[in-house]
Amino acid sequence: MFNTDTRHVVIAGFSLALVLMAGLTVIGLRQMAEINMQFEAITQQHVVKSTLIAKMRTAARERVLLLLAMALTSDPFERDDQFMRFNQGASDFLEMRGRLTRMRLSRDEQFILDRQRAMTMISVPIQERAAEMIMDGKAGEAKEILIREAFPAQERVFEELAKLYELQNQNTATASAEAEKAYDTAYLLLIALGALAVLSGVLIAIFVTRTVTRAKEALFREKELAEVTLHSIGDAVMTTDAAGHLDYMNPVAENLTGWRTHEAHGLPLNKVLNLLNEATRKPIDYFSQGAAVDTALTGFSAPTLLQGRHGREYVVENSSAPILDREGKTIGSVLVFHDVTQSQLLAQELSWQASHDALTGLINRHEFERRMRELLESARNGAKEHALLYVDLDQFKVVNDTCGHVAGDELLRQLAGLFHKKVRDTDILARLGGDEFGVLLESCPIEHALRIAEGLRESAQDFRFLWMDKVFEVGVSIGLTAINAHHASPESVLIAADAACYAAKNKGRNRVHVYQPDDIELAQRHGEMQWVSRITKALEQGRIVLYQQPITPTDGPAGDAEHYEVLLRLIDESGEIITPSAFIPAAERYSIMTNIDRWVIRTLFSAKGMEWRGRWNERAARGADHELLYSINLSGASISDDDFLNFLREQIRLYQVPPQILCFEITETAAITNLHKAVHFMQDLKDLGCRFALDDFGSGMSSFAYLKNLPVDFLKIDGAFIVDMLHDPVDLALVDAINRVAHILGMRTIAESVESEAIVEKLKTLRVDYLQGFAVGKPESLVVSSVALYPPGQRAVGEERS
């Protein structure tokens, strides 16, 4: 290491320089020790930071994947487990970030962390809202929120974490370069000082050499630690030298590219990394000879296809950063690729599910209405005419009731395939819900549309559905309407087509009906549909009111009457009072009677519950012997609704209503149509103490045999027989027969529509038990405070089905 002359010079000057050499040596060694300690501390700190950042990214990514899995799973127990892991991911993320923020951070690191926190504050509420919707059973809406809001917000969080991770790599590389340079400087200084003395210099040189060797070994260990960290990261990491030649790849990068590090080391980056444009599949010329390494992978859109040496392709997102030395000179670059193949597949699946019907594979109602809006807009702008077919199966319920829902689902799938073959390639076929389909005919005059509709009808008529040993014929009723500039909105197009379909069914089914604005049947249908809107608005505005009419016993004075029927009235926009006969048929046809029944129960019980309880207790205390009853009408839809019974029981408990004063009226038709459910419904409430009246008896099936199976307390004779009984011997005989049979069965009878004193006397002669009508008492307002259909904080049982 040293020549002879130098050694002599060192020996000659050793005595003079010994003190100086000893002092300089001590200072040099102390500097080296400090450099070593600082480097170890800096490197360790960067390793810890990198590990924490990697764990934050893993926790955030697992939350997104768990949220996607929650949306796709149908198993409630699995969804609950995923929801718990979803919440645990947030705790892990916050723990890692807390540990990171407690470390010493540079200004750049703090700035990126602050941006990450801001992005997280945006993404987390969206994720939690989507998770709550999934747990509430609204997976379809949650999927749309995930695609539209959650994924983009979470990607911005990942971008900030990637920047922070890249900054750690850069800081580690810079610290390593600086440490190596410091060690080299110290080494040369000690060698120069050792040349001043032979023996002392040699000893000092040996000592310094050993010290530097230990330092290099420590540096090597730190480098190995850094490589282990890179091996544990879930993203692909690659480094290059200043010329763009590959220097290092972690195992994930090796798997994605199909290259091993020892094979690719020293090769130009563009020989190893094959990137394609996802849309055009053309290679991306991201790195050319002489291009700046730190800007080579910036400026092209992501995600991108990475095609490996083995031929497999991955959808990746990338980021890159330069590696700088102490002087700020670029000495290489670090490239990071994140495999988003699975995430993109899940996103595509969610997007498909959001716009398609899972059973038939056709587009769903939401997507159908979106495309219809586009056609309506083109009709307005370009004077084009399109058409809409509203297709409703005629015998679907027969298949469902006979063979079950599995057979019904298979029938829908087969018909979807059949219809798809009968429409044009440019036409849009969708399942609108249940057994209803829709077809959008683009640029199709009404005459041509009618031929297509007839083709669909004939194909359905000729179709035979085979299930096990049964064969079914299935017809369709089709409503046809033009889509032109005269329609105000997509809703008006659907209303017109639905009305035409309804007319087709009314005329005998298995036919096509073309919508005409002056069609009387369609005008009636439109009127009913308008009533739906008016009823809903009246409920919202408190314009549905309650009346009561006395039901008087024939064997006592009218003043003792404590039996009332609760009646419904609607106050229209002009203040006129509308009776139920005007709007109840529309409410029944469009399935909103259960909503009205719920409103009546909640409004009546909340206003009168405590009053009724007080009156009941008072009467019981003084031993009153005449009845206190309030009769409330219930629709057939409510009786068939499995959740309505639970709702009714809950309202009785909530408002402390004595069940003994409640009498529920159901019509003969509703009871017989849903006989099994009606009996269960009635028996359950009778066990509480409630009573039942069979309303309008004689107007429906009129079979006395049914009365033996219905646990009713009162039989209300239909008013149509009462009004003419004094002049029509048949009506009189029917009233007498109904009254006698009811008494034999242990029921009490109520005559409706009692309008004259002569009828009152005749009914007393026949021994009818109760009278109701203008002759014994007119309806009067039942003053209550109107309440909302669904009060704040209290959702009606079975609200989603109403």
Side-chain angles (χ1 to χ4, degrees), residues 601-609 612 632 651-652 655 657 662:
I601 294 296
R602 188 181 289 108
T603 301
L604 191 61
F605 286 10
S606 63
K608 294 292 185 179
W612 287 346
I632 304 169
Q651 294 299 301
I652 293 173
Y655 295 110
V657 177
L662 298 177

Side-chain angles (χ1 to χ4, degrees), residues 4 38 193 195 340 451 607 651 759:
T4 304
Q38 291 175 1
L193 292 174
V340 295
R451 289 195 294 272
Q651 294 299 301
I759 293 179

Side-chain angles (χ1 to χ4, degrees), residues 534-549:
R534 293 179 65 185
I535 294 169
T536 303
K537 186 176 294 185
L539 284 169
E540 293 172 352
Q541 297 176 354
R543 289 188 286 103
I544 299 288
V545 294
L546 299 179
Y547 276 58
Q548 65 181 17
Q549 185 176 24

